[in-house]
Amino acid sequence: MSILSTLRCITVDVTGTLLAYKGELGDYYCMAAKSVGLPCPDYKRVHEGFKLAYKDVAQKYPCFGYAAKMPNIVWWKTCVRDSFIRAGYDYDEETFEKVFRRIYASFGSSAPYTVFPDSQPFLRWVREQGLQVGLISNAEYRYQDVILPALGLNQGSEWDFGVFSGLEGVEKPNPRIYEIALQRAGNVAPQEVLHIGDSMRKDYVPAKSVGMHALLLDRFKTKDAEEWRKSGATVLPDFVAAKEWLTSDNSTC
């Protein structure tokens, strides 16, 4: 018997699983700076500055400022300003506002993202089998309302419900976000749900901890994949392989 026949719902991670970032962070910061007549910031310094700034702001105001009732745009403005300062670019307020608006608009559109070719067909196939599709992502509201629809991943045709950290106030790897997904699916039993993601820590382990099935996609041939397999995880290259695995008679996870 295939695992597919035992499932009522499949939940899927978004970034790294359904879609990926296109280009480099510096590309978008550079375009924003040039739009107001400034030279292009150093890519490496901006990238390192962003990593530190994002980590710091996320620790102070987790889930994109959910608990603090911080507006999404304020959260990102704090993060982007700190990114530039850490990279050595302390723009005046008027200049920064113009640069930030360009960056915020870019990352609230489909421009920086690319959908893997097998994502939409897989999601539609799952729904055609009579299963629900849920999205679980550490992302803010624009993923649900703007970005995913702009990329052709629409609620009602590719997915049924979403659990986004910026809207729920809880984020992966907290198992609670998976429990919310079970509730959204109609309080289905965890053993009737499969979660597909790309992170052992954020996807596989917490999903399994609440009783769900789980598998990992290794789209970028990460060096950690072999360790994931050794620890007992099912690791597949893409959704094409996942579909074959789901319909095979010996699929286990």
mmCIF file of all heavy atoms in Angstrom, residues 111-150:
data_model
loop_
_atom_site.group_PDB
_atom_site.id
_atom_site.type_symbol
_atom_site.label_atom_id
_atom_site.label_comp_id
_atom_site.label_asym_id
_atom_site.label_seq_id
_atom_site.Cartn_x
_atom_site.Cartn_y
_atom_site.Cartn_z
ATOM 1 N N ALA A 111 9.533 39.681 -8.348
ATOM 2 C CA ALA A 111 10.841 39.881 -8.991
ATOM 3 C C ALA A 111 11.992 39.060 -8.405
ATOM 4 O O ALA A 111 12.774 38.477 -9.165
ATOM 5 C CB ALA A 111 11.199 41.372 -8.987
ATOM 6 N N PRO A 112 12.146 38.983 -7.075
ATOM 7 C CA PRO A 112 13.330 38.290 -6.540
ATOM 8 C C PRO A 112 13.186 36.778 -6.424
ATOM 9 O O PRO A 112 14.077 36.123 -5.879
ATOM 10 C CB PRO A 112 13.498 38.903 -5.140
ATOM 11 C CG PRO A 112 12.489 39.984 -5.032
ATOM 12 C CD PRO A 112 11.419 39.655 -5.994
ATOM 13 N N TYR A 113 12.086 36.212 -6.907
ATOM 14 C CA TYR A 113 11.830 34.798 -6.677
ATOM 15 C C TYR A 113 11.618 34.038 -7.990
ATOM 16 O O TYR A 113 11.168 34.591 -8.980
ATOM 17 C CB TYR A 113 10.576 34.617 -5.805
ATOM 18 C CG TYR A 113 10.547 35.500 -4.592
ATOM 19 C CD1 TYR A 113 9.856 36.713 -4.607
ATOM 20 C CD2 TYR A 113 11.211 35.147 -3.420
ATOM 21 C CE1 TYR A 113 9.835 37.553 -3.493
ATOM 22 C CE2 TYR A 113 11.192 35.974 -2.312
ATOM 23 C CZ TYR A 113 10.506 37.174 -2.355
ATOM 24 O OH TYR A 113 10.483 38.004 -1.259
ATOM 25 N N THR A 114 11.944 32.772 -7.943
ATOM 26 C CA THR A 114 11.655 31.902 -9.076
ATOM 27 C C THR A 114 11.039 30.607 -8.546
ATOM 28 O O THR A 114 11.513 30.039 -7.545
ATOM 29 C CB THR A 114 12.934 31.597 -9.890
ATOM 30 O OG1 THR A 114 12.600 30.763 -11.002
ATOM 31 C CG2 THR A 114 13.995 30.898 -9.055
ATOM 32 N N VAL A 115 9.971 30.165 -9.173
ATOM 33 C CA VAL A 115 9.286 28.940 -8.762
ATOM 34 C C VAL A 115 9.931 27.756 -9.473
ATOM 35 O O VAL A 115 10.151 27.799 -10.686
ATOM 36 C CB VAL A 115 7.785 29.013 -9.112
ATOM 37 C CG1 VAL A 115 7.075 27.722 -8.716
ATOM 38 C CG2 VAL A 115 7.138 30.197 -8.419
ATOM 39 N N PHE A 116 10.243 26.711 -8.732
ATOM 40 C CA PHE A 116 10.788 25.510 -9.359
ATOM 41 C C PHE A 116 9.761 24.946 -10.338
ATOM 42 O O PHE A 116 8.552 24.933 -10.037
ATOM 43 C CB PHE A 116 11.148 24.463 -8.306
ATOM 44 C CG PHE A 116 12.277 24.878 -7.392
ATOM 45 C CD1 PHE A 116 12.042 25.153 -6.054
ATOM 46 C CD2 PHE A 116 13.569 24.998 -7.874
ATOM 47 C CE1 PHE A 116 13.065 25.542 -5.207
ATOM 48 C CE2 PHE A 116 14.613 25.387 -7.036
ATOM 49 C CZ PHE A 116 14.353 25.652 -5.703
ATOM 50 N N PRO A 117 10.185 24.483 -11.504
ATOM 51 C CA PRO A 117 9.243 24.036 -12.548
ATOM 52 C C PRO A 117 8.280 22.937 -12.116
ATOM 53 O O PRO A 117 7.180 22.828 -12.644
ATOM 54 C CB PRO A 117 10.168 23.543 -13.670
ATOM 55 C CG PRO A 117 11.461 24.243 -13.447
ATOM 56 C CD PRO A 117 11.592 24.401 -11.956
ATOM 57 N N ASP A 118 8.691 22.126 -11.141
ATOM 58 C CA ASP A 118 7.839 21.013 -10.727
ATOM 59 C C ASP A 118 6.882 21.362 -9.589
ATOM 60 O O ASP A 118 6.068 20.535 -9.183
ATOM 61 C CB ASP A 118 8.689 19.804 -10.333
ATOM 62 C CG ASP A 118 9.677 20.101 -9.204
ATOM 63 O OD1 ASP A 118 9.717 21.262 -8.737
ATOM 64 O OD2 ASP A 118 10.411 19.186 -8.788
ATOM 65 N N SER A 119 6.946 22.598 -9.068
ATOM 66 C CA SER A 119 6.151 22.961 -7.896
ATOM 67 C C SER A 119 4.652 23.028 -8.200
ATOM 68 O O SER A 119 3.844 22.362 -7.535
ATOM 69 C CB SER A 119 6.623 24.307 -7.326
ATOM 70 O OG SER A 119 7.923 24.206 -6.795
ATOM 71 N N GLN A 120 4.276 23.834 -9.169
ATOM 72 C CA GLN A 120 2.854 23.982 -9.477
ATOM 73 C C GLN A 120 2.211 22.659 -9.914
ATOM 74 O O GLN A 120 1.140 22.295 -9.407
ATOM 75 C CB GLN A 120 2.640 25.060 -10.547
ATOM 76 C CG GLN A 120 1.168 25.390 -10.774
ATOM 77 C CD GLN A 120 0.965 26.369 -11.914
ATOM 78 O OE1 GLN A 120 1.205 26.036 -13.083
ATOM 79 N NE2 GLN A 120 0.534 27.582 -11.590
ATOM 80 N N PRO A 121 2.837 21.890 -10.823
ATOM 81 C CA PRO A 121 2.238 20.603 -11.203
ATOM 82 C C PRO A 121 2.057 19.659 -10.016
ATOM 83 O O PRO A 121 1.039 18.954 -9.932
ATOM 84 C CB PRO A 121 3.234 20.035 -12.214
ATOM 85 C CG PRO A 121 3.924 21.228 -12.784
ATOM 86 C CD PRO A 121 4.028 22.198 -11.635
ATOM 87 N N PHE A 122 3.022 19.649 -9.103
ATOM 88 C CA PHE A 122 2.919 18.755 -7.950
ATOM 89 C C PHE A 122 1.772 19.161 -7.044
ATOM 90 O O PHE A 122 0.964 18.312 -6.623
ATOM 91 C CB PHE A 122 4.226 18.748 -7.154
ATOM 92 C CG PHE A 122 4.187 17.880 -5.924
ATOM 93 C CD1 PHE A 122 4.303 16.507 -6.032
ATOM 94 C CD2 PHE A 122 4.003 18.453 -4.659
ATOM 95 C CE1 PHE A 122 4.239 15.694 -4.893
ATOM 96 C CE2 PHE A 122 3.947 17.651 -3.528
ATOM 97 C CZ PHE A 122 4.061 16.275 -3.645
ATOM 98 N N LEU A 123 1.669 20.450 -6.728
ATOM 99 C CA LEU A 123 0.597 20.908 -5.847
ATOM 100 C C LEU A 123 -0.769 20.607 -6.447
ATOM 101 O O LEU A 123 -1.686 20.164 -5.747
ATOM 102 C CB LEU A 123 0.742 22.409 -5.583
ATOM 103 C CG LEU A 123 2.012 22.853 -4.853
ATOM 104 C CD1 LEU A 123 2.019 24.373 -4.694
ATOM 105 C CD2 LEU A 123 2.146 22.184 -3.489
ATOM 106 N N ARG A 124 -0.909 20.844 -7.745
ATOM 107 C CA ARG A 124 -2.189 20.579 -8.403
ATOM 108 C C ARG A 124 -2.487 19.078 -8.411
ATOM 109 O O ARG A 124 -3.644 18.663 -8.224
ATOM 110 C CB ARG A 124 -2.170 21.143 -9.825
ATOM 111 C CG ARG A 124 -2.198 22.662 -9.853
ATOM 112 C CD ARG A 124 -2.326 23.199 -11.258
ATOM 113 N NE ARG A 124 -2.521 24.644 -11.241
ATOM 114 C CZ ARG A 124 -2.732 25.377 -12.320
ATOM 115 N NH1 ARG A 124 -2.772 24.806 -13.518
ATOM 116 N NH2 ARG A 124 -2.898 26.686 -12.222
ATOM 117 N N TRP A 125 -1.478 18.267 -8.619
ATOM 118 C CA TRP A 125 -1.657 16.810 -8.627
ATOM 119 C C TRP A 125 -2.126 16.325 -7.264
ATOM 120 O O TRP A 125 -3.046 15.496 -7.176
ATOM 121 C CB TRP A 125 -0.351 16.123 -9.018
ATOM 122 C CG TRP A 125 -0.416 14.633 -8.887
ATOM 123 C CD1 TRP A 125 -0.986 13.755 -9.765
ATOM 124 C CD2 TRP A 125 0.090 13.849 -7.796
ATOM 125 N NE1 TRP A 125 -0.865 12.465 -9.293
ATOM 126 C CE2 TRP A 125 -0.204 12.495 -8.091
ATOM 127 C CE3 TRP A 125 0.779 14.147 -6.628
ATOM 128 C CZ2 TRP A 125 0.152 11.454 -7.234
ATOM 129 C CZ3 TRP A 125 1.121 13.122 -5.771
ATOM 130 C CH2 TRP A 125 0.811 11.788 -6.079
ATOM 131 N N VAL A 126 -1.524 16.849 -6.196
ATOM 132 C CA VAL A 126 -1.926 16.443 -4.846
ATOM 133 C C VAL A 126 -3.397 16.760 -4.610
ATOM 134 O O VAL A 126 -4.157 15.931 -4.101
ATOM 135 C CB VAL A 126 -1.051 17.149 -3.780
ATOM 136 C CG1 VAL A 126 -1.606 16.883 -2.375
ATOM 137 C CG2 VAL A 126 0.394 16.658 -3.861
ATOM 138 N N ARG A 127 -3.816 17.954 -5.006
ATOM 139 C CA ARG A 127 -5.219 18.340 -4.816
ATOM 140 C C ARG A 127 -6.155 17.490 -5.682
ATOM 141 O O ARG A 127 -7.277 17.186 -5.281
ATOM 142 C CB ARG A 127 -5.409 19.830 -5.103
ATOM 143 C CG ARG A 127 -4.616 20.724 -4.149
ATOM 144 C CD ARG A 127 -4.892 22.208 -4.359
ATOM 145 N NE ARG A 127 -6.160 22.598 -3.749
ATOM 146 C CZ ARG A 127 -7.204 23.046 -4.420
ATOM 147 N NH1 ARG A 127 -7.177 23.123 -5.754
ATOM 148 N NH2 ARG A 127 -8.308 23.406 -3.789
ATOM 149 N N GLU A 128 -5.678 17.085 -6.858
ATOM 150 C CA GLU A 128 -6.483 16.216 -7.723
ATOM 151 C C GLU A 128 -6.698 14.835 -7.104
ATOM 152 O O GLU A 128 -7.661 14.140 -7.450
ATOM 153 C CB GLU A 128 -5.813 16.071 -9.090
ATOM 154 C CG GLU A 128 -5.909 17.326 -9.961
ATOM 155 C CD GLU A 128 -4.992 17.253 -11.174
ATOM 156 O OE1 GLU A 128 -4.289 16.217 -11.333
ATOM 157 O OE2 GLU A 128 -4.960 18.230 -11.947
ATOM 158 N N GLN A 129 -5.807 14.453 -6.196
ATOM 159 C CA GLN A 129 -5.958 13.164 -5.507
ATOM 160 C C GLN A 129 -6.966 13.253 -4.364
ATOM 161 O O GLN A 129 -7.215 12.265 -3.671
ATOM 162 C CB GLN A 129 -4.608 12.670 -4.958
ATOM 163 C CG GLN A 129 -3.459 12.638 -5.947
ATOM 164 C CD GLN A 129 -3.827 12.007 -7.261
ATOM 165 O OE1 GLN A 129 -4.244 10.851 -7.298
ATOM 166 N NE2 GLN A 129 -3.669 12.751 -8.358
ATOM 167 N N GLY A 130 -7.517 14.460 -4.157
ATOM 168 C CA GLY A 130 -8.498 14.638 -3.094
ATOM 169 C C GLY A 130 -7.902 15.048 -1.764
ATOM 170 O O GLY A 130 -8.601 15.073 -0.740
ATOM 171 N N LEU A 131 -6.618 15.380 -1.758
ATOM 172 C CA LEU A 131 -5.950 15.796 -0.535
ATOM 173 C C LEU A 131 -5.927 17.324 -0.433
ATOM 174 O O LEU A 131 -5.937 18.023 -1.439
ATOM 175 C CB LEU A 131 -4.501 15.283 -0.490
ATOM 176 C CG LEU A 131 -4.266 13.843 -0.039
ATOM 177 C CD1 LEU A 131 -4.873 12.850 -1.014
ATOM 178 C CD2 LEU A 131 -2.763 13.585 0.113
ATOM 179 N N GLN A 132 -5.861 17.806 0.810
ATOM 180 C CA GLN A 132 -5.632 19.225 1.029
ATOM 181 C C GLN A 132 -4.140 19.528 0.915
ATOM 182 O O GLN A 132 -3.303 18.674 1.221
ATOM 183 C CB GLN A 132 -6.097 19.641 2.424
ATOM 184 C CG GLN A 132 -7.577 19.584 2.663
ATOM 185 C CD GLN A 132 -7.923 20.168 4.009
ATOM 186 O OE1 GLN A 132 -8.000 21.374 4.186
ATOM 187 N NE2 GLN A 132 -8.136 19.297 4.982
ATOM 188 N N VAL A 133 -3.827 20.741 0.500
ATOM 189 C CA VAL A 133 -2.444 21.211 0.481
ATOM 190 C C VAL A 133 -2.339 22.430 1.395
ATOM 191 O O VAL A 133 -3.089 23.401 1.244
ATOM 192 C CB VAL A 133 -1.992 21.608 -0.938
ATOM 193 C CG1 VAL A 133 -0.623 22.297 -0.898
ATOM 194 C CG2 VAL A 133 -1.930 20.389 -1.843
ATOM 195 N N GLY A 134 -1.417 22.358 2.348
ATOM 196 C CA GLY A 134 -1.168 23.486 3.245
ATOM 197 C C GLY A 134 0.256 23.977 3.087
ATOM 198 O O GLY A 134 1.162 23.195 2.794
ATOM 199 N N LEU A 135 0.459 25.264 3.247
ATOM 200 C CA LEU A 135 1.795 25.848 3.213
ATOM 201 C C LEU A 135 2.184 26.254 4.622
ATOM 202 O O LEU A 135 1.388 26.858 5.348
ATOM 203 C CB LEU A 135 1.828 27.070 2.290
ATOM 204 C CG LEU A 135 1.360 26.870 0.849
ATOM 205 C CD1 LEU A 135 1.540 28.167 0.062
ATOM 206 C CD2 LEU A 135 2.105 25.723 0.174
ATOM 207 N N ILE A 136 3.405 25.923 5.025
ATOM 208 C CA ILE A 136 3.922 26.303 6.342
ATOM 209 C C ILE A 136 5.234 27.029 6.113
ATOM 210 O O ILE A 136 6.192 26.449 5.583
ATOM 211 C CB ILE A 136 4.147 25.078 7.246
ATOM 212 C CG1 ILE A 136 2.863 24.259 7.384
ATOM 213 C CG2 ILE A 136 4.652 25.513 8.612
ATOM 214 C CD1 ILE A 136 3.019 22.994 8.225
ATOM 215 N N SER A 137 5.293 28.306 6.507
ATOM 216 C CA SER A 137 6.469 29.098 6.173
ATOM 217 C C SER A 137 6.777 30.156 7.222
ATOM 218 O O SER A 137 5.865 30.786 7.764
ATOM 219 C CB SER A 137 6.252 29.792 4.819
ATOM 220 O OG SER A 137 7.349 30.610 4.475
ATOM 221 N N ASN A 138 8.059 30.337 7.487
ATOM 222 C CA ASN A 138 8.506 31.465 8.292
ATOM 223 C C ASN A 138 8.556 32.681 7.370
ATOM 224 O O ASN A 138 9.600 33.056 6.843
ATOM 225 C CB ASN A 138 9.894 31.202 8.888
ATOM 226 C CG ASN A 138 9.850 30.207 10.034
ATOM 227 O OD1 ASN A 138 8.772 29.828 10.493
ATOM 228 N ND2 ASN A 138 11.005 29.794 10.505
ATOM 229 N N ALA A 139 7.404 33.269 7.143
ATOM 230 C CA ALA A 139 7.292 34.370 6.192
ATOM 231 C C ALA A 139 6.220 35.344 6.655
ATOM 232 O O ALA A 139 5.385 35.014 7.495
ATOM 233 C CB ALA A 139 6.945 33.841 4.797
ATOM 234 N N GLU A 140 6.278 36.553 6.093
ATOM 235 C CA GLU A 140 5.311 37.577 6.475
ATOM 236 C C GLU A 140 4.109 37.543 5.545
ATOM 237 O O GLU A 140 4.054 36.760 4.597
ATOM 238 C CB GLU A 140 5.995 38.944 6.510
ATOM 239 C CG GLU A 140 7.057 39.150 5.449
ATOM 240 C CD GLU A 140 6.670 40.223 4.455
ATOM 241 O OE1 GLU A 140 5.467 40.460 4.282
ATOM 242 O OE2 GLU A 140 7.580 40.805 3.849
ATOM 243 N N TYR A 141 3.145 38.415 5.828
ATOM 244 C CA TYR A 141 1.847 38.333 5.162
ATOM 245 C C TYR A 141 1.923 38.504 3.656
ATOM 246 O O TYR A 141 1.061 37.999 2.913
ATOM 247 C CB TYR A 141 0.892 39.374 5.748
ATOM 248 C CG TYR A 141 1.097 40.778 5.215
ATOM 249 C CD1 TYR A 141 0.383 41.224 4.099
ATOM 250 C CD2 TYR A 141 2.009 41.647 5.804
ATOM 251 C CE1 TYR A 141 0.580 42.503 3.586
ATOM 252 C CE2 TYR A 141 2.211 42.919 5.302
ATOM 253 C CZ TYR A 141 1.498 43.345 4.195
ATOM 254 O OH TYR A 141 1.702 44.598 3.686
ATOM 255 N N ARG A 142 2.957 39.192 3.142
ATOM 256 C CA ARG A 142 3.000 39.454 1.707
ATOM 257 C C ARG A 142 3.198 38.175 0.894
ATOM 258 O O ARG A 142 2.824 38.131 -0.278
ATOM 259 C CB ARG A 142 4.092 40.478 1.383
ATOM 260 C CG ARG A 142 3.768 41.872 1.905
ATOM 261 C CD ARG A 142 4.826 42.875 1.471
ATOM 262 N NE ARG A 142 6.138 42.565 1.991
ATOM 263 C CZ ARG A 142 7.266 43.192 1.635
ATOM 264 N NH1 ARG A 142 7.230 44.162 0.735
ATOM 265 N NH2 ARG A 142 8.423 42.863 2.174
ATOM 266 N N TYR A 143 3.769 37.148 1.512
ATOM 267 C CA TYR A 143 3.873 35.867 0.804
ATOM 268 C C TYR A 143 2.481 35.374 0.441
ATOM 269 O O TYR A 143 2.232 34.944 -0.680
ATOM 270 C CB TYR A 143 4.576 34.834 1.695
ATOM 271 C CG TYR A 143 6.036 34.621 1.381
ATOM 272 C CD1 TYR A 143 6.899 35.704 1.275
ATOM 273 C CD2 TYR A 143 6.550 33.346 1.198
ATOM 274 C CE1 TYR A 143 8.239 35.508 0.994
ATOM 275 C CE2 TYR A 143 7.893 33.147 0.921
ATOM 276 C CZ TYR A 143 8.735 34.230 0.827
ATOM 277 O OH TYR A 143 10.069 34.033 0.546
ATOM 278 N N GLN A 144 1.580 35.404 1.411
ATOM 279 C CA GLN A 144 0.229 34.877 1.201
ATOM 280 C C GLN A 144 -0.585 35.776 0.271
ATOM 281 O O GLN A 144 -1.253 35.295 -0.649
ATOM 282 C CB GLN A 144 -0.491 34.761 2.541
ATOM 283 C CG GLN A 144 -1.963 34.369 2.429
ATOM 284 C CD GLN A 144 -2.618 34.198 3.779
ATOM 285 O OE1 GLN A 144 -2.563 33.133 4.369
ATOM 286 N NE2 GLN A 144 -3.232 35.256 4.291
ATOM 287 N N ASP A 145 -0.513 37.084 0.518
ATOM 288 C CA ASP A 145 -1.420 38.016 -0.160
ATOM 289 C C ASP A 145 -0.928 38.498 -1.516
ATOM 290 O O ASP A 145 -1.729 38.841 -2.381
ATOM 291 C CB ASP A 145 -1.666 39.238 0.735
ATOM 292 C CG ASP A 145 -2.386 38.881 2.020
ATOM 293 O OD1 ASP A 145 -2.917 37.760 2.114
ATOM 294 O OD2 ASP A 145 -2.398 39.719 2.943
ATOM 295 N N VAL A 146 0.398 38.564 -1.705
ATOM 296 C CA VAL A 146 0.944 39.194 -2.910
ATOM 297 C C VAL A 146 1.905 38.293 -3.680
ATOM 298 O O VAL A 146 1.727 38.038 -4.876
ATOM 299 C CB VAL A 146 1.673 40.521 -2.554
ATOM 300 C CG1 VAL A 146 2.198 41.194 -3.818
ATOM 301 C CG2 VAL A 146 0.758 41.462 -1.786
ATOM 302 N N ILE A 147 2.940 37.810 -3.000
ATOM 303 C CA ILE A 147 4.056 37.162 -3.690
ATOM 304 C C ILE A 147 3.652 35.838 -4.331
ATOM 305 O O ILE A 147 3.893 35.609 -5.519
ATOM 306 C CB ILE A 147 5.245 36.972 -2.729
ATOM 307 C CG1 ILE A 147 5.767 38.344 -2.278
ATOM 308 C CG2 ILE A 147 6.358 36.164 -3.394
ATOM 309 C CD1 ILE A 147 6.749 38.290 -1.120
ATOM 310 N N LEU A 148 3.048 34.944 -3.559
ATOM 311 C CA LEU A 148 2.674 33.637 -4.114
ATOM 312 C C LEU A 148 1.673 33.765 -5.263
ATOM 313 O O LEU A 148 1.866 33.138 -6.313
ATOM 314 C CB LEU A 148 2.150 32.718 -3.013
ATOM 315 C CG LEU A 148 3.209 32.250 -2.008
ATOM 316 C CD1 LEU A 148 2.562 31.491 -0.851
ATOM 317 C CD2 LEU A 148 4.264 31.381 -2.676
ATOM 318 N N PRO A 149 0.607 34.576 -5.121
ATOM 319 C CA PRO A 149 -0.296 34.755 -6.263
ATOM 320 C C PRO A 149 0.412 35.322 -7.493
ATOM 321 O O PRO A 149 0.126 34.904 -8.625
ATOM 322 C CB PRO A 149 -1.344 35.735 -5.730
ATOM 323 C CG PRO A 149 -1.352 35.515 -4.258
ATOM 324 C CD PRO A 149 0.082 35.241 -3.905
ATOM 325 N N ALA A 150 1.343 36.260 -7.281
ATOM 326 C CA ALA A 150 2.076 36.844 -8.414
ATOM 327 C C ALA A 150 2.955 35.818 -9.107
ATOM 328 O O ALA A 150 3.276 35.966 -10.295
ATOM 329 C CB ALA A 150 2.922 38.024 -7.936
#
